[in-house]
Amino acid sequence: MTERKIRVRFAPSPTGPLHIGGVRTALYNYLFARNTGGTFILRIEDTDQARYVEGAEDYIMDSLHWAGIKVDEGVREGGPFAPYRQSDRKEIYHRYADELISKGDAYYAFDSPDELERLRHEHESRGVTFNYGCVSRMNLCNSLNLTAEEVAGRLASGEHYVVRYRMPENQDIHFTDLIRGEMVVNTSTIDDKVLYKSDGMPTYHLANIVDDHLMEITHVIRGEEWLPSLPLHVMLYRSFGWEAPLFAHLPLLLKPTGKGKLSKRDGDKMGFPVFPLYWPYGETATGYREEGYFPEAFVNMLALLGWNPGTEQEIFSMEELIAAFSIERVGKSGSRFDPEKAKWFNTRYFQMKSDDELVALFMPLVNDKGFYPSPEKLKKIISLVKERAGFVRDLWHEADLFFVAPETYDPEVVRKRWNADSPGQMRELRDVVAAVQQFTSDNLEQTVKEWIVAGPHNTGTILNLFRLLMVGVSRGPHLFDIVELTGRDETLRRLDNGIMRLSSKVS
RNA sequence: GGUCCAUUCGUCUAGUGGUUAGGACGUCAGGUUUUCAUCCUGGUAACAGGGGUUCGAUUCCCCUAUGGACUACCA
């Protein structure tokens, strides 16, 4: 095993949009593969025809692509072990089921779903759990207690059947999980799982083991929900006589508050996405991409949710994650998802973007608003407002004052700053501003401040009123930067307009 | 109900048989910014409980509690 080249796989089921927990599983597989010089495989596990959802397969691949997780072998990429979609490998599994039957480790079962359902209900009403296993199987309809002729007859007549694994009785199975360590489970507590369904498709358990073996997977890194079936999988490897891969079961992502694992509802309720990309089918859902998250921030956030480097570093590029990642440092317990921290990660990446990058990202939004500034001007604006935003789309909220004159004036600020003397003060200020020939931030600021100091006016009052008339609210970049970028004509227009409107309101 | 897994600030987590139990997010306060935000400084806040083992347990063991997963011809 140690000699073998490391090969890992992400094996999602195309039953809907890929949840961020799934993306994290894929990410950890990818990081592990790259860290060890191994291969990352994407295998589509679509053995359940009933739950197959059109578009889900593309969604999975698009999501990984967006996140920067590169698939080495997969449905789109191909590879030496193709095909990578289980429905395209359908004929492979049958003979492995047969192999197990001939070894006596599996058997045919003819019980109808209705009959089993009835049995379950009946047991439940008595307060016990029905198990198709070592205690009940001899009372049920299967090849273990039918004669060979009967079995052959039923098979020949085309009767529906499933193949079940014959779980041995009372054996302690010891196995190791890379994250949780040694574990032991007694086989008597495990039921006889269906390996092969009556529709001619294998179940997850069979297909998964067969494909992992055939594709020479060395490490199975998957969600914790699979931990209970690990003993079964270990037994299957033994029955086949195959060397089992190493297993690592990742803890789950939990709701931000309350009980249970993260679900779509939490996102809807608390206003954050639970999926990487927009899901356009059926019940639609927004994605991190559409909400304006940078894929690097998204990946960084996900990587730190359940794994840590053991240092105090929190910001990691993909390359740094690859270099630092190890399964040993994955935590044992579930992680609550914190949407606030997700935003914080994005803000950090946003601040790291160059002004030019942000111009390219922001320009379309500005154009949508009906404005067409030169890239140079937009760059200047961005440099002034960038530090107060965490997302590209926040930028408009910060930058609109450069495009649109205030329509309203914050009543709170008006009440606090605008009094009977204000109109006169503002008209004086207006004349000072109008008189400045070189209309730059530096000389205008100097002139205005000198004028204030020389006169009877209060600096704070004048400047705050000036801002109110320019912007309408008490926030935004350095006042004189706004004035410079807005230009003399527009500045005077805003002053005149404000004086007029606020004077009439007060009197 | 049964099986398995887990448990350090509100959240993500580091860490150790003897530490002032560290960092980050959030939050609070102060400073900077004559605005808001950023930024800086500081504060807040945790070893689930009970038994052991030990000179000494947050750390090792057991029990309990709590949380989680699984318990389909779904993955």
Side-chain angles (χ1 to χ4, degrees):
Chain A
M1 166 79 63
T2 49
E3 302 302 315
R4 286 209 271 162
K5 186 178 190 291
I6 286 178
R7 293 171 58 80
V8 298
R9 85 296 190 284
F10 176 55
S13 217
T15 55
L18 185 65
H19 184 274
I20 55 174
V23 180
R24 190 189 61 162
T25 302
L27 176 64
Y28 285 13
N29 271 283
Y30 175 73
L31 295 177
F32 179 70
R34 285 289 183 274
N35 176 268
T36 55
T39 304
F40 175 65
I41 294 140
L42 174 67
R43 187 174 68 224
I44 300 296
E45 308 222 326
D46 58 346
T47 53
D48 186 356
Q49 304 154 169
R51 291 208 308 157
Y52 184 83
V53 172
E54 198 67 39
E57 198 176 301
D58 280 333
Y59 182 94
I60 290 164
M61 296 188 260
D62 293 345
S63 296
L64 297 188
H65 179 77
W66 177 69
I69 299 170
K70 297 185 189 69
V71 175
D72 297 314
E73 296 174 22
V75 172
R76 282 181 188 169
E77 297 73 15
F81 298 88
Y84 291 89
R85 186 188 289 117
Q86 287 184 330
S87 58
D88 295 337
R89 305 168 63 78
K90 195 177 166 183
E91 57 291 344
I92 296 176
Y93 310 108
H94 193 270
R95 71 166 190 271
Y96 287 99
D98 284 348
E99 181 182 334
L100 252 24
I101 289 170
S102 64
K103 282 179 173 171
D105 286 346
Y107 59 90
Y108 295 106
F110 301 99
D111 318 85
S112 74
D114 289 348
E115 170 65 6
L116 293 175
E117 184 74 359
R118 192 186 64 74
L119 249 23
R120 277 196 190 89
H121 272 98
E122 186 209 310
H123 280 68
E124 197 179 329
S125 65
R126 301 205 318 260
V128 278
T129 308
F130 171 74
N131 249 338
Y132 204 123
C134 55
V135 295
S136 63
R137 64 181 163 228
M138 294 316 284
N139 302 317
L140 293 155
C141 185
N142 55 54
S143 59
L144 262 21
N145 39 29
L146 297 171
T147 65
E149 292 71 38
E150 274 182 300
V151 172
R154 284 171 183 258
L155 257 23
S157 73
E159 184 172 335
H160 278 224
Y161 68 92
V162 298
V163 176
R164 286 182 181 271
Y165 187 66
R166 184 180 187 175
M167 187 59 71
E169 204 166 336
N170 198 27
Q171 276 185 26
D172 282 338
I173 321 174
H174 295 262
F175 48 89
T176 306
D177 180 89
L178 261 19
I179 293 171
R180 276 150 241 275
E182 305 296 319
M183 283 181 284
V184 52
V185 172
N186 189 285
T187 51
S188 294
T189 66
I190 309 170
D191 56 351
D192 289 352
K193 286 282 182 233
V194 171
L195 299 179
Y196 201 81
K197 299 183 274 188
S198 59
D199 65 359
M201 287 292 254
T203 62
Y204 172 86
H205 303 294
L206 210 220
N208 187 261
I209 268 66
V210 167
D211 283 344
D212 282 348
H213 175 256
L214 259 25
M215 294 181 180
E216 300 177 6
I217 301 301
T218 57
H219 299 254
V220 171
I221 304 168
R222 84 232 285 201
E224 194 182 13
E225 67 270 25
W226 293 110
L227 199 52
S229 51
L230 180 53
L232 197 224
H233 298 170
V234 169
M235 289 304 288
L236 282 168
Y237 280 104
R238 288 189 194 167
S239 290
F240 282 118
W242 296 336
E243 184 179 19
L246 268 22
F247 293 94
H249 289 86
L250 271 20
L252 267 22
L253 259 31
L254 274 19
K255 294 176 185 303
T257 57
K259 296 179 177 183
K261 59 177 181 177
L262 188 62
S263 72
K264 179 179 182 300
R265 287 211 60 76
D266 301 309
D268 296 343
K269 206 165 55 189
M270 300 181 66
F272 65 87
V274 172
F275 303 107
L277 314 178
Y278 175 66
W279 173 255
Y281 311 102
E283 195 182 347
T284 59
T286 186
Y288 277 83
R289 185 225 265 156
E290 286 70 25
E291 292 302 310
Y293 283 81
F294 297 113
E296 312 92 282
F298 174 71
V299 161
N300 196 154
M301 176 271 292
L302 234 35
L304 272 288
L305 210 53
W307 170 85
N308 77 84
T311 66
E312 287 179 359
Q313 184 178 354
E314 290 201 278
I315 300 300
F316 286 85
S317 66
M318 187 68 98
E319 289 309 309
E320 290 173 315
L321 285 174
I322 288 168
F325 188 80
S326 73
I327 289 180
E328 290 71 42
R329 294 208 64 90
V330 174
K332 289 175 162 58
S333 52
S335 311
R336 277 187 192 282
F337 178 75
D338 182 0
E340 289 306 316
K341 189 104 184 199
K343 286 182 194 161
W344 177 80
F345 273 109
N346 202 259
T347 302
R348 292 291 305 266
Y349 278 85
F350 180 88
Q351 294 300 330
M352 285 190 271
K353 295 280 178 196
S354 73
D355 291 350
D356 285 320
E357 284 176 289
L358 291 177
V359 166
L361 293 167
F362 187 40
M363 187 62 92
L365 276 66
V366 175
N367 294 162
D368 277 352
K369 295 286 182 184
F371 301 98
Y372 302 89
S374 68
E376 292 71 30
K377 182 174 182 191
L378 195 61
K379 185 174 173 180
K380 177 73 178 162
I381 291 171
I382 284 171
S383 73
L384 293 178
V385 303
K386 175 183 178 180
E387 63 190 10
R388 48 190 19 95
F391 290 79
V392 172
R393 68 174 179 193
D394 291 349
L395 246 19
W396 177 254
H397 178 65
E398 304 300 332
D400 59 351
L401 70 244
F402 292 104
F403 301 99
V404 189
E407 288 293 320
T408 58
Y409 300 89
D410 185 342
E412 204 44 37
V413 183
V414 173
R415 191 181 56 73
K416 194 171 163 191
R417 306 284 183 190
W418 190 266
N419 56 45
D421 296 336
S422 300
Q425 291 176 15
M426 283 297 100
R427 267 188 284 273
E428 287 180 52
L429 173 67
R430 181 214 180 277
D431 294 337
V432 175
V433 171
V436 177
Q437 294 305 309
Q438 299 293 113
F439 204 74
T440 68
S441 182
D442 284 347
N443 68 26
L444 184 72
E445 179 167 3
Q446 197 187 343
T447 308
V448 170
K449 283 185 173 173
E450 280 170 2
W451 166 72
I452 294 171
V453 171
H457 306 302
N458 175 278
T459 312
T461 306
I462 295 289
L463 257 25
N464 280 304
L465 283 171
F466 194 2
R467 172 177 294 277
L468 177 67
L469 300 191
M470 286 304 292
V471 186
V473 291
S474 141
R475 46 177 291 274
H478 186 60
L479 178 58
F480 291 95
D481 286 335
I482 297 175
V483 171
E484 179 185 358
L485 214 52
T486 302
R488 182 205 296 259
D489 293 347
E490 174 65 10
T491 297
L492 294 175
R493 208 179 65 74
R494 289 190 188 188
L495 283 173
D496 289 338
N497 198 246
I499 293 165
M500 186 186 72
R501 293 168 70 162
L502 288 174
S503 300
S504 65
K505 197 173 284 180
V506 166
S507 58

